[in-house]
Amino acid sequence: MARKGRQTPTKSVILPYDKTYGTQATKLYALTGNNLIEWQQDLLKPIMAVNEQGKWIHLKFGYAVPRRNGKTESVYAREMWGLLTGENILHTAHRTDTVHSSWERMYDLLRMAGIPIEHFYRASGKEHIYIKGGGRIEYRTRTNSGGLGRGYDLLVIDEAQEYTEAQATALTYITSASKNPQTIYLGTPPTATSAGTKFQEYRENILTAQKLDGGWAEWSVEEQRDPNDKKAWYEANPSLGILISERAVRSEFDGDIVDFNIQRLGLWLAYSQKSEISDVEWKALIPKKMPKLSSRLFVGIKYGIDGANVSMSIAARTASDKIFVEAIDCRPIRSGNTWLLKFLKAADVEKVVIDGASGQELLKNAMREERIKPIPVLPKVGEVISANSLFAQGVEAQTIRHMGQKSLSDVVTNSEKRTIGTKGGFGYRTFLAGADDSLMDSAILAYWACSTTKKKKKKQRVGY
């Protein structure tokens, strides 16, 4: 018996259901003379699961499958069913040629299935198909404004790894007026060149139970694997041995292990390859064991720009003349400053830097009332710019040390530069869903305070 790829997802979140139209869609697709592969059929079942009122169980459903496995065929079957039941459908993709290929495929499938087409238009940018009975499907390349002002029952986000925040703003509400709306995301894990963040954000929200009425399925490996690991090939590629051959997979590897793991093995990186500070650079700063500290603590406190959270980090010199940094916490501003004051009272602190108009003056006054020393530094814009630049130099020169703290590492390795001031200064902002810029900012302030404070010389003792 020929070996074939794993037919069930390696990871999934499916809400309970008793009824599905997935079997109907599979039979409808079979009228074309073709049959969906087992995994494609099984995927349709949760996607098209309905409750007692006939409403979709999963208002949103996302799935990720490595390239060339035929991931779009399940959506085509879902769309064919939708057309026959009178749905208005919008199929979007990142690239113009992908949009047109999907139009051509649907046009062919409908004709092969004997479904009469009432009207169609194939010109690039305006592709659509209307069938007799009222169902219609339109195809669009995603833009920051496309879809506004129109209403649909089904929204398909093809090439979802390229789905951006701006595009989501334009498309999110176009199914709101539908009596039974659904959105389907399909794609692959993002690569170094992927512009989108919404697909990964959706996945993380689903897997951490932060998203209601949503479903997810993926074929992937948990960690980076050897490109020659055939077991991983079959685990992550459900159509291997059916649509894809081992020989084809073998020929794909060009020396880029990370890219092969993402595109062929479905690996989701915990860090962004587009980050200003890479995961490799940041991990290179982790010592084998906790360094011995040789100075008092330097504290950085940052009130977030959006006024939501406040973060605190510390820095200290090490015996090897490096600077150790660590985040203490990030809490909602509405929780008050008690936790900050408690730490500052208990710790052996040499300098405190507080930034952020939403709270720095209040904390400074509270420290004075509590008689907490030293008097905090409230940095000017130029000093904040210098702090960010110094931190970047510290990463490059490897003068920074940390112990791989997850909360801080997640923000640092998913960050990009942002402009500060009018003279080319920069800071950092994170594009990681759910993370807060203030955590990294507080660590930068602590590092700056430590690195710009002269080391105290030990007094020389002279004996006679």
Side-chain angles (χ1 to χ4, degrees):
M1 187 174 184
R3 187 179 184 183
K4 63 180 180 180
R6 173 178 173 142
Q7 297 299 289
T8 57
T10 55
K11 189 175 293 185
S12 63
V13 175
I14 306 297
L15 298 175
Y17 66 90
D18 295 317
K19 182 180 178 182
T20 178
Y21 294 125
T23 304
Q24 288 185 16
T26 296
K27 291 179 178 178
L28 177 61
Y29 184 93
L31 294 177
T32 65
N34 302 301
N35 290 306
L36 293 174
I37 302 170
E38 179 186 342
W39 72 268
Q40 295 169 334
Q41 296 179 34
D42 289 343
L43 186 60
L44 273 175
K45 293 174 183 177
I47 289 177
M48 301 185 70
V50 292
N51 60 21
E52 294 178 355
Q53 291 74 43
K55 306 297 184 182
W56 302 118
I57 293 288
H58 302 103
L59 295 181
K60 294 185 178 182
F61 197 98
Y63 65 96
V65 190
R67 297 185 183 281
R68 313 311 300 172
N69 274 276
K71 71 174 73 63
T72 322
E73 294 302 308
S74 293
V75 162
Y76 292 152
R78 164 70 181 89
E79 290 172 339
M80 290 175 70
W81 183 92
L83 286 170
L84 283 184
T85 55
E87 283 187 325
N88 292 326
I89 303 168
L90 178 62
H91 187 121
T92 74
H94 175 64
R95 294 157 50 204
T96 302
D97 59 345
T98 302
V99 168
H100 196 69
S101 293
S102 292
W103 179 90
E104 290 181 327
R105 181 62 173 161
M106 180 56 65
Y107 180 80
D108 289 342
L109 288 171
L110 292 173
R111 295 193 65 175
M112 288 188 291
I115 298 173
I117 297 173
E118 185 174 78
H119 186 267
F120 68 89
Y121 198 79
R122 66 182 304 158
S124 181
K126 297 182 179 180
E127 296 99 328
H128 65 251
I129 301 173
Y130 299 169
I131 71 165
K132 291 182 178 180
R136 70 177 188 178
I137 183 167
E138 297 179 5
Y139 296 85
R140 296 290 181 269
T141 304
R142 286 191 296 272
T143 66
N144 294 347
S145 59
L148 290 174
R150 300 172 186 174
Y152 299 90
D153 301 300
L154 172 63
L155 170 62
V156 175
I157 307 295
D158 199 351
E159 298 178 319
Q161 67 274 11
E162 306 294 343
Y163 192 38
T164 67
E165 187 75 42
Q167 292 167 2
T169 300
L171 292 172
T172 295
Y173 301 102
I174 67 171
T175 61
S176 299
S178 172
K179 294 180 180 179
N180 195 15
Q182 188 175 48
T183 299
I184 300 175
Y185 307 90
L186 63 150
T188 58
T191 66
T193 60
S194 298
T197 58
K198 298 301 291 182
F199 195 39
Q200 185 154 3
E201 179 182 319
Y202 177 81
R203 174 183 183 265
E204 290 171 355
N205 286 339
I206 287 290
L207 295 182
T208 55
Q210 297 180 43
K211 201 80 172 176
L212 299 175
D213 302 315
W216 178 261
E218 70 179 62
W219 278 259
S220 63
V221 291
E222 285 282 353
E223 57 187 22
Q224 187 168 291
R225 304 283 281 272
D226 186 324
N228 296 311
D229 186 348
K230 286 188 180 181
K231 183 179 179 181
W233 296 2
Y234 281 93
E235 189 76 359
N237 291 273
S239 295
L240 184 56
I242 305 170
L243 300 179
I244 309 171
S245 68
E246 287 189 3
R247 184 181 181 188
V249 172
R250 190 179 301 111
S251 68
E252 290 173 335
F253 180 57
D254 64 356
D256 190 333
I257 296 176
V258 173
D259 188 69
F260 183 87
N261 269 264
I262 294 172
Q263 302 210 56
R264 180 48 62 208
L265 302 183
L267 176 66
W268 290 81
L269 297 178
Y271 62 93
S272 171
Q273 294 185 86
K274 297 172 68 176
S275 178
E276 191 66 34
I277 299 172
S278 72
D279 183 66
V280 173
E281 289 176 303
W282 190 243
K283 282 182 176 177
L285 307 178
I286 302 176
K288 292 182 179 179
K289 61 180 181 179
M290 176 67 190
K292 183 178 180 181
L293 305 184
S294 61
S295 74
R296 300 168 71 192
L297 299 183
F298 295 80
V299 179
I301 298 173
K302 173 65 178 183
Y303 287 86
I305 296 174
D306 59 3
N309 299 316
V310 56
S311 295
M312 177 166 61
S313 295
I314 58 96
R317 290 194 177 275
T318 70
S320 60
D321 204 27
K322 307 294 183 183
I323 295 178
F324 176 80
V325 295
E326 187 164 273
I328 300 301
D329 207 347
C330 174
R331 298 187 186 182
I333 291 177
R334 65 174 180 272
S335 298
N337 290 326
T338 303
W339 70 280
L340 296 166
L341 297 170
K342 185 177 180 181
F343 180 89
L344 295 173
K345 275 184 179 180
D348 183 16
V349 178
E350 182 165 337
K351 183 178 287 187
V352 180
V353 182
I354 310 171
D355 187 34
S358 58
Q360 61 181 176
E361 286 291 345
L362 288 174
L363 182 58
K364 178 183 177 181
N365 293 335
M367 288 176 65
R368 183 173 63 245
E369 291 173 5
E370 295 288 333
R371 297 182 179 180
I372 298 174
K373 293 184 177 180
I375 298 173
V377 175
L378 307 186
K380 298 177 181 178
V381 172
E383 291 174 316
V384 172
I385 291 173
S386 295
N388 282 282
S389 179
L390 201 60
F391 188 80
Q393 294 171 30
V395 172
E396 179 71 24
Q398 297 191 339
T399 58
I400 297 173
R401 292 291 180 267
H402 66 93
M403 294 307 295
Q405 189 178 27
K406 188 177 187 307
S407 57
L408 182 58
S409 296
D410 284 349
V411 177
V412 172
T413 58
N414 289 278
S415 62
E416 60 187 2
K417 286 183 178 179
R418 61 181 177 88
T419 301
I420 298 180
T422 59
K423 297 182 179 180
F426 70 88
Y428 295 94
R429 63 172 163 234
T430 181
F431 42 76
L432 181 66
D436 197 295
D437 296 333
S438 65
L439 197 67
M440 183 176 180
D441 288 339
S442 66
I444 290 173
L445 292 172
Y447 177 80
W448 173 70
C450 184
S451 60
T452 56
T453 300
K454 291 183 178 180
K455 292 184 291 184
K456 293 183 179 179
K457 296 181 179 179
K458 294 182 179 179
K459 292 183 179 180
Q460 186 177 10
R461 294 185 178 182
V462 180
Y464 294 92

